[in-house]
Amino acid sequence: NEGNEYFRERDYKRAVIAYTEGLKQKCEDPELSAVLHTNRGAAHFYLGNYRSALNDAIQAKKLKPTHLKAIIRGALCHMELKNFSEAIAWCEEGLRIDSKEKKLVEMRAKADKLKVNIKAVRDLLEISAGFSTLWQGRAVRSIDLLSERNIKLVLEPSNEEEEISDGLAEISLDGFHSDSATGARVHLDAYGNLNWPVLFLYPEHEQTDFIAAFHENSRFIDHLMVMFAELPPWDLERKYLPSNLELYFEDEERAEMYELNPEHTLLQVLQHPRYFVKAGTPTVLAFVKLSPFSKKYFSGKKVHRL
């Protein structure tokens, strides 16, 4: 009930925490647990935490295979992550339960169309040098927004076409966006703030988390508190607590690692002299403090610590 109240107030971070507390009670009613997972997934979804939302949808579906809301949410997450084949599969699963569910019918058609068209669109962008030149012209003001913030981009072109499709030309004046590997876009909100897609990597377990809209003035610790309000299923040793984690970014040019302050905002990190945004998606690596894996990982590397 507390989670539902926060959700109605659009305080999605507190809603996630409340639903998580409910799940920690380990209720023996699978239907209620499925609802808690579905509701927490909805809160994650509105925060832009699509992977976490998808994980909740998966858990809810395991508890109650006919839970249509969970299936719809899972399909929506796959759409946001541009996993169109998976979105189609989830839609078809839901339509077997209710063949007339309007959201699933519409989403199924949209996913099928996007799946067919996406390769053709990419091919067109790659071969059209004239179109690429147009993108370059439209990118100028957007690059100014980054320059004002002292944010640096990195390009890795292998030829002229890739330079256009993989770098600055992906940033557009139309809403200011840069396509990330997952399909999410950095965008300028109504208050003039940037919201970035951010990728968290967990090298020890070869896992990732993806935040589709990380506000530039949000702190890393705030996201860690939400992401690890409940320990992930792959953390069998229960080590991934927000207070037990260290965050780093890699300076690939110098082959050096820099530790981040979790209390810092995303913008503060992006403004670091050695931070370069690659492919439109800021990336950070998370390690358990003083773990055997982190010691081995950093062995032989130059590390700049806080």
Side-chain angles (χ1 to χ4, degrees):
N1 289 338
E2 183 178 301
N4 290 344
E5 185 63 31
Y6 284 131
F7 195 96
R8 282 191 290 269
E9 295 172 358
R10 299 186 180 182
D11 191 342
Y12 301 120
K13 288 184 180 180
R14 285 194 172 92
V16 166
I17 293 170
Y19 292 134
T20 299
E21 288 301 314
L23 286 164
K24 285 180 180 178
Q25 304 308 309
K26 301 188 183 301
C27 172
E28 294 182 1
D29 180 352
E31 185 158 346
L32 180 54
S33 294
V35 170
L36 283 166
H37 275 292
T38 302
N39 290 1
R40 187 175 69 174
H44 272 305
F45 186 88
Y46 285 112
L47 287 169
N49 302 334
Y50 300 128
R51 288 190 186 276
S52 295
L54 178 59
N55 287 335
D56 271 321
I58 291 170
Q59 292 302 316
K61 190 156 67 79
K62 285 180 181 178
L63 290 163
K64 186 180 178 182
T66 59
H67 194 26
L68 209 55
K69 283 187 178 180
I71 293 173
I72 292 171
R73 182 66 57 195
L76 284 168
C77 290
H78 279 303
M79 290 293 288
E80 292 293 337
L81 293 168
K82 303 296 184 286
N83 300 330
F84 300 123
S85 295
E86 290 83 352
I88 290 170
W90 279 64
C91 287
E92 290 178 344
E93 185 174 353
L95 290 170
R96 285 195 290 271
I97 299 169
D98 183 354
S99 61
K100 297 181 179 179
E101 170 55 53
K102 184 178 179 181
K103 290 181 180 178
L104 290 174
V105 171
E106 293 177 351
M107 203 183 326
R108 171 67 174 79
K110 183 178 180 181
D112 198 38
K113 183 178 179 181
L114 289 170
K115 181 184 175 184
V116 171
N117 289 343
I118 191 166
K119 186 178 185 302
V121 171
R122 286 173 176 169
D123 290 344
L124 179 62
L125 288 174
E126 288 176 1
I127 64 175
S128 178
F131 185 74
S132 298
T133 302
L134 173 62
W135 273 109
Q136 278 188 313
R138 296 168 71 186
V140 175
R141 173 109 199 287
S142 302
I143 299 303
D144 288 343
L145 293 173
L146 299 185
S147 297
E148 291 170 2
R149 290 166 166 80
N150 196 28
I151 296 174
K152 300 165 287 298
L153 302 180
V154 62
L155 303 179
E156 291 186 330
S158 60
N159 56 49
E160 186 176 349
E161 287 75 20
E162 284 191 17
E163 182 174 359
I164 300 303
S165 63
D166 292 341
L168 298 179
E170 291 178 352
I171 299 175
S172 161
L173 274 177
D174 295 346
F176 182 79
H177 73 266
S178 176
D179 288 337
S180 72
T182 57
R185 297 172 174 178
V186 55
H187 63 275
L188 194 67
D189 65 23
Y191 301 98
N193 300 305
L194 293 179
N195 291 265
W196 291 84
V198 175
L199 188 64
F200 285 78
L201 306 178
Y202 311 109
E204 182 173 1
H205 297 278
E206 297 182 348
Q207 297 288 331
T208 65
D209 266 322
F210 178 66
I211 298 177
F214 194 130
H215 191 287
E216 63 181 350
N217 293 323
S218 289
R219 302 181 305 168
F220 279 87
I221 188 62
D222 295 330
H223 282 279
L224 290 177
M225 293 296 290
V226 172
M227 291 157 57
F228 292 99
E230 181 175 305
L231 292 175
W234 44 262
D235 181 20
L236 300 180
E237 298 180 31
R238 305 180 67 81
K239 300 184 297 184
Y240 279 71
L241 303 170
S243 60
N244 202 30
L245 297 179
E246 292 179 337
L247 302 179
Y248 293 84
F249 73 84
E250 185 173 5
D251 182 347
E252 294 183 6
E253 180 182 339
R254 297 182 179 178
E256 297 176 355
M257 303 289 293
Y258 288 82
E259 186 180 0
L260 311 183
N261 186 341
E263 298 289 338
H264 280 174
T265 65
L266 175 60
L267 180 57
Q268 287 176 300
V269 172
L270 296 183
Q271 290 175 330
H272 189 284
R274 295 306 304 170
Y275 198 102
F276 297 87
V277 178
K278 184 178 179 181
T281 306
T283 302
V284 297
L285 296 88
F287 300 87
V288 174
K289 293 178 181 177
L290 303 177
S291 68
F293 179 87
S294 66
K295 290 179 181 178
K296 183 178 179 180
Y297 187 92
F298 292 122
S299 177
K301 291 185 172 70
K302 185 172 181 180
V303 181
H304 302 270
R305 297 190 180 275
L306 293 175

